Amino acid sequence: MRHGIVVRIGPAGFRIGSDWRVPIDQLQALYADYPAPEGGVADFTVRLEAVRPWRRVVRPSVRLAGDYALPDALPLPLSQGLLAAEMGMNLQMALGQRRFLLLHASAVERDGRAIVMTGESGAGKSTLAALLQRHGWRLMGDEFALLDPATGLVHPFPRLISLKNDAIAVAVASLPDATFGPLVQGTPKGDIRHLVPDARAIAQMDTPAAPTLLLFPRFGGGADIRPVAAAEAFMRLTQASTNYVTLGERGFDALTRFVTTVRMAAIDYPDMPTAAAMIAELSR
Amino acid sequence: MSAAGDLADVLADPTRCLRLDPAGWTALLTAARAERLIGSLAHRLDGLDIPLRVGAVLADARADAAAGRCRALWEAEMARRALNPLGCAVILLKGTAFVAAGLDAGRGRSIGDLDILVPRDRLDAVEAALLTAGWEWVKPDPYDDDYYRRWMHELPPMIHRDRDAMIDVHHTILPPTARITPDPAKLVAGAESLGSGLSVLSPEDMVVHAALHLFADGDLSGGLRNLWDIDRLTREFAERDETFWLKLAARAAEHEAGAVVARAARQSYDLFATPVPEDWRTRDALDAFIRRRLLARDGWGRPTRPVTRFCFYVRSHWMRMPPMLLARHLLVKARRRDGP
C-alpha cells in the first residue's frame, strides 16, 4: 500500500497500510514511543483502503479491511481515518487473538495487583482508567484486558485511550501534560479524541499483573457500592468477551478461575475524586 | 510473484520459507489468512526453524484449526443423531469429511458449514427431520427458496437455532442446470461408511467433487484452498493405491468430469508439484489464465487482477445456468436490489 506503519502494543504487532498519508502520519505521531513488532513480523494487518479507486481523491471514503474484518462494516469519511485505524486494530484483537481471553474492559495496576473495569459503552471505563493514571495507577489498557488462560494473569494492551464526548474536556483538564490526538467529530459514537498513555504504561507494556478486583463502574448518581456474585460476573463477562466461545474449554476455565479468585463490586460514582477514593478503598 | 504464489511455493516445499525476511513473513501470513490456508500452512511448517513471532502466530492457527475440527465433528454428530432414524445414507462432504476420515487434507483445514449428501428420494424426509431437530431456514424469501428447490443441487441453507451452525443438504454435487451432470446414485452407492452411521465419498469421488467444486461451480474465490485439497487428497490416495490415477480417470469419466478433474490435477502439479502422471499434464489455453486467477492476492491480503476476477465471475454464472434462466435470475435479483 502507499503508506504504512508498524507498531507493537503489548503482545500484538500490527501493520497498518493506508491509501492516504494523513491517518498514517497521525498514527506515527501518537505511537512514536511504542516499539516495533518483535523480529519485524506483525501478527495482524489492517488496511485503510478507498472503496473505489477514484474515491481515494473524490469524496475520500475509508473502507476498513485486514486479516479479520466485518463483512457489513460501513465506510468512514477520511476525516475519521485515525478512528478507522484504531477500530481496525481492535477488530484484529477481537476476532483474531487466540492466546488470551479478551475481556472488553479497561485495566489498571498498582503494586502488582490489577483492577479490571468492565461495563457498557458510556459507563466510563476508559475515562476512569485514563484518570487513575494521576492517582498512582499504571494504565494497562482502556479497551481490552487480556487474560492468560495458562497463568491467570492480566496482560496489558495499552493502545491509545479513546475518549468520547464529555470525557474529552475532563481528561484535557486533568492531564494537562499528556499528548492528545486530533478531535474526531461526527463519528457514530459522537466526538472522539485519543490520548496517549503515560510513559510508564508504555514502558511496562510487557509486564502482566495478578487480577485482584473486578469492577462494574457506572458514571452518575450518588456514590454506591454493591456486591456482585460470581455467577452474575461470569455471565456478564461472557457477554463482554469477544473470543470466549472461540477459546472453548480454555476460555471457560480462564473465566471460572478469574471470577472465583477476584473480589467483585458494582460502583456508581458522581465524579473522579470520589471514584478514585472508592477504588482505593475496594482494592485495599 | 504474488504473495499467493509465495504461499503456494512454501506449501509445496516448506523449506523455502527459510529464505523469507520479516516483511516476507508478514506478507505470507497475511496471504495465508486471506486464502484461508493459515491452518494448513501452520501444519506444513511445524517443526521448522522459523522466527519466534511467526511460530506464535502459527501455533494459534493450529489451535484454531483444532477447535474448528472439534466443532465440525460435533455438527456432523448432531446431524447423525437427527437423521439416523431415517435409515438413509448420510454422506459427509468437503472439510468435515476430510477430518472425519482422518485424511491429510483435513490437517489444519478451515471448515465452514456442514455439507452432507443424501439420496434425492429421501430429501423431503431429511428436511423434515432437520426442521424437527432445530434447524431453521436462513433465507425465507419465496424466490430464493423456489430457485434452490428447482435449480440447485442442495436445499436452501439451514441454520441451527441453538448452535448457530449452518448445514447444506446436497442431493448431488453440481446444480442440475450445469453443463456437466455427475451421477448422484453412483456417489451414494460408492460411499464408504465410517462405521458411525456417517459415510464419506469414495477416494475417487472425493477428488471428482473437489475438482467440480473448484472449476465447475464458482468464480474461483477460495480456489487456492480448494486446489490444496486436491493436492493433499491425490497424494494420499496415490500413496495408498498405485492404481489410483487410473481409477480416478475412469470414475471421472462416469461423472462427465474427465476434463475438469484433469484440469485440477494439472493446476495442482503446476502450483504444488503434486506427483501427477505425465499423461495428465497436457496443457490447454485456459491453464495460464486460471493460474493467474488462483494467485491473484498480494502481500497485504488484497485481491488483485480485477479484470481476471471478473471474467471468472461471469464464467461461473455461464457454467451454472442456461442463458435464458440466467437472464431471468439476474432480472429478479436486479429488481430486488432496486425495489422498495
Side-chain angles (χ1 to χ4, degrees), chain A residues 1 4 11 15-17 19 38-47 49 67-68 97-99 246, chain B residues 22-23 25-27 29-30 33 51-54 56-57 60 63-64 67 71 299-303:
Chain A
M1 301 197 76
R15 171 178 64 151
I16 301 136
D19 282 338
E38 213 181 315
V41 182
D43 298 62
F44 300 113
T45 292
V46 174
R47 309 194 306 266
E49 53 190 25
D67 289 338
Y68 299 89
Q97 180 58 248
R98 295 290 181 268
R99 203 144 49 93
T246 319
Chain B
W25 274 113
T26 304
L29 295 177
T30 304
R33 280 198 180 112
L52 205 65
R53 205 56 232 152
V54 178
V57 170
D60 286 351
D64 231 11
R71 269 196 303 278
W300 284 92
R302 289 181 295 187

Side-chain angles (χ1 to χ4, degrees), chain A residues 29-42:
Chain A
L30 295 169
Y31 282 110
D33 296 331
Y34 284 66
E38 213 181 315
V41 182

Side-chain angles (χ1 to χ4, degrees), chain B residues 77-99:
Chain B
E77 170 61 16
M78 291 294 98
R80 187 195 68 80
R81 289 185 196 176
L83 301 178
N84 204 35
L86 304 181
C88 73
V90 176
I91 302 165
L92 302 175
L93 300 174
K94 303 184 198 168
T96 309
F98 304 160
V99 294

Side-chain angles (χ1 to χ4, degrees), chain B residues 34 78-79 109 117 121-122 138 146 177-178 196 213 228 248 324:
Chain B
M78 291 294 98
R109 192 185 189 277
L117 175 75
D121 58 2
R122 304 307 305 277
V138 177
D146 183 59
T177 49
S196 55
H213 183 56
W228 179 245
L248 176 60
M324 281 316 288

Side-chain angles (χ1 to χ4, degrees), chain B residues 137-139 144-145 148-149 154-158 167-169:
Chain B
W137 301 119
V138 177
K139 292 187 182 180
D144 286 346
D145 193 76
Y148 264 97
R149 286 169 196 278
E154 57 195 352
L155 289 175
M158 301 166 94
I167 188 169
D168 284 330
V169 181

